[in-house]
């Protein structure tokens, strides 16, 4: 196992989306042991996917492709890649679904309405361990979304009543959606957005979310989506955020 072989292993790891350590162990060993017949089937499957995608996008002047497997987003116009971003996609237990949607608007300083599944699996157990959790995370409790706000100290968090309420996190840099969200209505209720957890973008495999897609270059993507609206350039977006303005900026034309 000399330097030449080590370099070859690193190239192989990079091509397969694995951290290039040069060490044959764990996921690298599993990848090397995949039979050639399986690889051929993967190539055939993905070739079909690419052909289908090309047919769907051939007539589109502008569109976004987010590849959950490679944790990468591309904004494409006139057949050219004009903007890219690293992404964080869903964990193996909560994978990002296949979504066909259109970005309708950009939301600055969004609230995060905590999905019921996340509230039951993570938020309520966290409150049981630490009664100050909601205050630390700036999360408010409501009877329903848009309904009456409830004082958390009046709730029996160890009883069934804890599951009756809904939760909303205040906007700001601490918010789970970060400083900006891309409004793309879809049946899966997953979105693309910023994140306060920036260090995660340094990982090679970025499967950390509950299904939504977090963007590293969120400002660049927003600027690209709004590039036909001169009043909403990067400086204007940054100013809205810096001044604490919640705003929904509708796209002139939705972008698939």
């Amino acid at each position: 196992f000399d330097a030449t072989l080590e370099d070859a292993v690193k190239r192989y790891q990079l091509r397969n989306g694995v951290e290039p350590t040069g060490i044959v162990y764990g996921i690298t060993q599993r990848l090397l042991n995949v039979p050639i017949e399986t690889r051929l089937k993967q190539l055939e499957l993905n070739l079909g996917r690419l052909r289908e995608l090309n047919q769907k996008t051939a007539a589109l002047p502008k569109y976004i492709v987010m590849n959950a497997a490679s944790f990468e987003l591309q904004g494409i116009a006139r057949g050219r890649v004009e903007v890219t971003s690293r992404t964080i996609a869903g964990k193996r237990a909560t994978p990002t679904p296949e979504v066909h949607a259109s970005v309708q608007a950009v939301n600055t300083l969004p609230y995060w309405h905590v999905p019921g599944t996340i509230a039951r699996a993570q938020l309520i157990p966290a409150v049981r361990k630490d009664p100050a959790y909601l205050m630390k995370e700036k999360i408010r409790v409501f009877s329903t979304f848009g309904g009456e706000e409830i004082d958390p100290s009046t709730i029996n968090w160890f009883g069934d009543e804890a599951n009756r309420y809904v939760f909303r996190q205040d906007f700001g840099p601490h918010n789970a959606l970060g400083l900006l969200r891309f409004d793309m209505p879809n049946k899966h209720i997953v979105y693309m957005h910023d994140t306060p957890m920036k260090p995660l973008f340094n990982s090679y495999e970025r499967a950390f979310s509950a299904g939504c897609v977090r963007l590293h270059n969120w400002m660049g993507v927003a600027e690209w989506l709004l590039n036909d609206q001169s009043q909403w350039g990067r400086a204007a977006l940054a100013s809205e955020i810096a001044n604490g303005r919640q705003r929904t900026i509708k796209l002139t034309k939705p972008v698939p």
Side-chain angles (χ1 to χ4, degrees):
F1 198 98
D2 56 16
T4 302
L5 182 53
E6 183 178 349
D7 288 342
V9 170
K10 288 180 179 179
R11 285 196 302 273
Y12 178 85
Q13 289 171 321
L14 280 171
R15 288 176 56 225
N16 285 272
V18 180
E19 186 175 358
T21 61
I23 299 169
V24 179
Y25 181 75
I27 190 170
T28 299
Q29 186 172 346
R30 292 198 296 274
L31 289 169
L32 284 166
N33 285 332
V34 173
I36 188 63
E37 293 80 12
T38 302
R39 291 292 185 220
L40 286 170
K41 289 179 181 177
Q42 287 179 323
L43 287 168
E44 290 171 354
L45 175 64
N46 283 300
L47 181 60
R49 286 170 171 167
L50 282 171
R51 285 171 173 163
E52 182 183 0
L53 181 65
N54 286 338
Q55 290 174 355
K56 290 179 178 178
T57 59
L60 296 176
K62 187 173 183 174
Y63 61 96
I64 284 175
V65 174
M66 202 298 291
N67 187 335
S70 65
F71 309 104
E72 180 184 34
L73 174 145
Q74 295 180 335
I76 300 169
R78 297 172 293 278
R80 295 177 61 88
V81 176
E82 293 190 338
V83 66
T84 64
S85 178
R86 291 184 181 188
T87 68
I88 290 169
K91 294 177 283 192
R92 284 174 172 78
T94 55
T96 297
E98 185 174 317
V99 174
H100 300 274
S102 290
V103 179
Q104 310 275 354
V106 170
N107 308 123
T108 61
L109 298 176
Y111 288 121
W112 181 42
H113 295 94
V114 183
T117 52
I118 294 178
R120 289 186 291 273
Q122 300 176 28
L123 190 148
I124 293 174
V127 177
R128 289 170 178 168
K129 289 181 180 179
D130 179 6
Y133 176 82
L134 295 176
M135 183 180 68
K136 291 176 183 176
E137 297 296 324
K138 299 182 180 179
I139 295 174
R140 300 176 186 272
V141 186
F142 293 88
S143 56
T144 59
F145 287 125
E148 176 189 5
E149 185 171 357
I150 308 296
D151 182 351
S153 66
T154 65
I155 299 171
N156 177 9
W157 292 103
F158 291 88
D160 291 338
E161 69 170 290
N163 296 311
R164 300 176 194 162
Y165 303 105
V166 297
F167 304 88
R168 189 190 76 189
Q169 188 176 38
D170 290 345
F171 64 81
H174 61 279
N175 188 284
L177 303 184
L179 300 174
L180 187 141
R181 184 189 81 137
F182 299 90
D183 189 7
M184 40 177 281
N186 61 87
K187 66 180 182 180
H188 301 284
I189 319 179
V190 295
Y191 296 91
M192 299 186 298
H193 56 82
D194 175 32
T195 177
M197 303 177 75
K198 301 293 192 294
L200 294 179
F201 288 107
N202 295 326
S203 301
Y204 276 83
E205 182 172 331
R206 298 185 290 276
F208 299 116
S209 86
C212 285
V213 174
R214 309 171 195 172
L215 305 190
H216 186 244
N217 184 24
W218 56 272
M219 180 62 88
V221 174
E223 184 179 33
W224 179 77
L225 286 167
L226 296 165
N227 63 5
D228 61 344
Q229 301 180 54
S230 57
Q231 73 274 31
W232 289 117
R234 182 180 292 254
L237 287 171
S239 176
E240 292 297 289
I241 292 168
N243 289 299
R245 298 193 186 102
Q246 284 187 298
R247 189 182 292 273
T248 295
I249 306 167
K250 290 188 177 181
L251 273 59
T252 305
K253 293 181 180 178
V255 175

